[in-house]
Amino acid sequence: MTAAPSPTIPLCDIPALPVEQLDEMLRTGRFDAAGLRTDTPWDAWSMQRDDAPIFAAIVRALVPKRHLEFGTWEGFGSRLVLQNSPATVWSLNLPHGETTDTGDWQYAGVFDDPAELPPAAGPPQDFREGGGHVYYQTDAHGFIGRLVHDARLGHRFNQVLCDSRDWDTAAYPSGFFDSVFIDGGHHPDTVISDTRKALPLLRPGGVILWHDACPDPDILAQGGAPAGVMTALRELSGELQVACSHLCWIDRSQLVIGIGNDTEAAA
């Protein structure tokens, strides 16, 4: 029986590559695809359950020494890199977290037990509807990167607190980072800015990943993070063809991956 062709990413010209064939692109001989394919429906997809094992396998194969991350939140991605490689991580996050267009918190969690709170957790909000739980903004104040510190990995972790669009990269040499993970603000303008800041800092042969790259038309039609990321990648298409020697959507995941090119030579 002939296998069905892998889907392609809507909105931008990025080919699909089955996760089982990813080491053909990485060329490390260390990528282990065993157990990484999942049949989780797109509307139930989870970074922690479905994408994180693929991300971790890429990190183990690449063995980065310096990793850059846009979007820290509580530090799940940073901790994953630190636990699966010898890398030192630089991670960017807004100091006061993201808000929606209406000014509401983008990310919040219930913490009724004060013992569960990190230091400097920030002010709570008490919502009486549905039981009166106490909510905290989980991508702001003391929550930022807390999973890294709870794992006692802070000695290899550099937290940058700013709007990533304002981040000054002048102190970082070209090709400084072995790997980059873009998962911060998901508005197209922010994804484009983050990508343009990251690409000159990625070494030739290094890996750059974008998260929330979902190929499902129904998910994209809802707007939100996947639509923003896909729109940004479409706008960046020409630049990525120059900056990346290889570029694909990992089937099945919500990750797009690129391999850094020698952009000076390509130019």
Side-chain angles (χ1 to χ4, degrees), residues 48-163:
Q48 287 81 355
R49 180 188 61 238
D50 300 306
D51 286 325
I54 298 174
F55 185 23
I58 292 170
V59 170
R60 288 193 295 270
L62 185 64
V63 197
K65 291 184 172 61
R66 292 186 291 267
H67 173 81
L68 173 62
E69 181 175 280
F70 291 84
T72 314
W73 198 356
E74 292 186 90
F76 178 84
S78 293
R79 183 182 63 179
L80 183 148
V81 173
L82 292 164
Q83 290 176 332
N84 287 277
S85 78
T88 295
V89 172
W90 282 254
S91 187
L92 285 78
N93 206 85
L94 289 168
H96 304 296
E98 291 186 62
T99 55
T100 65
D101 292 338
T102 59
D104 295 324
W105 292 343
Q106 186 75 53
Y107 304 103
V110 176
F111 293 89
D112 293 329
D113 182 358
E116 298 177 350
L117 294 171
Q125 289 189 7
D126 187 3
F127 290 94
R128 293 300 174 186
E129 295 182 8
H133 294 296
V134 179
Y135 288 78
Y136 284 82
Q137 191 177 13
T138 55
D139 67 333
H141 310 292
F143 282 94
I144 300 171
R146 74 182 186 118
L147 298 178
V148 170
H149 301 299
D150 289 349
R152 299 185 178 181
L153 292 167
H155 58 293
R156 292 193 282 130
F157 182 63
N158 299 289
Q159 182 68 65
V160 181
L161 295 174
C162 71
D163 187 320

Side-chain angles (χ1 to χ4, degrees), residues 6-31:
S6 297
T8 56
I9 286 283
L11 299 182
C12 51
D13 186 20
I14 296 179
L17 182 70
V19 66
E20 294 85 0
Q21 299 176 22
L22 191 55
D23 202 48
E24 297 176 13
M25 178 178 177
L26 295 173
R27 296 183 179 179
T28 66
R30 293 186 295 268
F31 182 80

Side-chain angles (χ1 to χ4, degrees), residues 13 154 191 207 216 240 249 262 265-266:
D13 186 20
V191 178
V207 166
D216 184 73
L240 294 179
W249 169 66
D262 185 339

Side-chain angles (χ1 to χ4, degrees), residues 11 186-189 191-192 212 220 223-233:
L11 299 182
H186 294 89
H187 188 278
D189 289 347
V191 178
I192 290 170
D212 291 300
L220 294 175
V229 172
M230 292 298 95
T231 299
L233 291 175

